[in-house]
Amino acid sequence: MKLTVCQAGEAVLRRKARALSRDEILGSYIQDLIESMRDTMRDTPGVGLAAPQIGLPLQLVVIEDLPQYMQTIAAEELAERKRRPVAFHVVINATLTIERAETAEFFEGCLSLAGFTAIVPRATHVRVECLNEKAEPIAIAAEGWYARILQHEIDHLQGTLYIDRMNPRSFSTQDNYVRHWKDKPVSQFWQQVPPQPE
Ligand code: ZN
């Protein structure tokens, strides 16, 4: 079942989500919800979806970065972003730790800010401790684009959107991004757009 994705301005996107109990995770409500969130993420399409985005303040995230999403992106861009396919998985009650001070800047979008994108600095290496859909504890070590997805989705559980972390001067419509900046290094954007007001 495809769910409606809340857009910026809905209070649920700005509230802290609550943790799920083991019994809740194993119950049919959450199991069905995981399936609906997966279908919604694939239909939209997106690489991650957090429960607050479908109106539920729960610490539940689904992630999947399919090989076919990479077909329209230049090989150099994929390499620069360290973007590789990520199999479908579920992240519940997550704690994220930044493993290195190193950050990377790339354009990033959000299903709850449909039609827009901006440059967001994110840590390149993170570790996530969480539960999976069977309520089993798992630890994820991630780098590159996958680390970015985890940071973005886990931010949703704290009521944080990428616009809180973006470089505001890079905020762009998706159409203009595709027209001018797609497949170009971020450094080229900053050569054309002064990083500070002139
Ligand atoms: Zn988002």
Side-chain angles (χ1 to χ4, degrees):
M1 188 177 71
K2 193 177 173 185
L3 306 163
T4 303
V5 178
C6 296
Q7 296 300 303
E10 296 289 351
V12 66
L13 290 171
R14 290 312 200 167
R15 285 169 47 201
K16 266 197 177 180
R18 72 164 175 87
L20 292 173
S21 71
R22 187 174 184 280
D23 286 351
E24 280 180 301
I25 295 166
L26 298 175
S28 60
Y29 176 74
I30 294 295
Q31 292 296 317
D32 290 350
L33 180 62
I34 290 169
E35 261 188 51
S36 297
M37 285 176 66
R38 186 195 59 205
D39 295 348
T40 304
M41 172 174 64
R42 284 181 180 167
D43 276 13
T44 306
V47 297
L49 186 67
Q53 293 184 273
I54 44 118
L56 299 171
L58 306 173
Q59 290 184 26
L60 169 62
V61 164
V62 294
I63 290 174
E64 180 180 55
D65 201 358
L66 292 167
Q68 56 260 42
Y69 298 157
M70 290 161 217
Q71 283 167 2
T72 57
I73 303 169
E76 312 84 71
E77 266 298 283
L78 290 173
E80 199 194 8
R81 294 178 186 190
K82 294 194 170 62
R83 182 166 173 182
R84 300 178 203 98
V86 178
F88 176 80
H89 68 100
V90 178
V91 171
I92 297 168
N93 301 350
T95 311
L96 182 138
T97 311
I98 292 185
E99 293 276 73
R100 294 193 197 172
E102 187 186 342
T103 59
E105 280 196 338
F106 290 108
F107 278 95
E108 170 177 320
C110 177
L111 300 179
S112 297
L113 287 137
F116 296 98
T117 182
I119 293 172
V120 184
R122 297 276 189 191
T124 58
H125 292 74
V126 300
R127 181 181 166 83
V128 171
E129 319 241 340
C130 61
L131 302 177
N132 66 13
E133 71 283 4
K134 296 174 189 154
E136 298 161 341
I138 54 167
I140 302 166
E143 64 169 318
W145 203 254
Y146 182 28
R148 177 173 293 268
I149 297 170
L150 285 164
Q151 288 167 85
H152 179 115
E153 298 308 330
I154 292 168
D155 267 356
H156 274 301
L157 308 181
Q158 302 296 322
T160 298
L161 300 173
Y162 80 75
I163 48 175
D164 306 337
R165 300 189 185 274
M166 70 179 178
N167 186 309
R169 291 174 64 81
S170 68
F171 191 63
S172 168
T173 65
Q174 194 71 37
D175 288 346
N176 278 337
Y177 167 74
V178 170
R179 193 173 300 136
H180 301 301
W181 310 112
K182 188 178 176 288
D183 293 336
K184 289 177 188 160
V186 162
S187 57
Q188 205 162 323
F189 177 85
W190 291 125
Q191 281 163 20
Q192 302 289 318
V193 176
Q196 300 296 328
E198 286 176 315

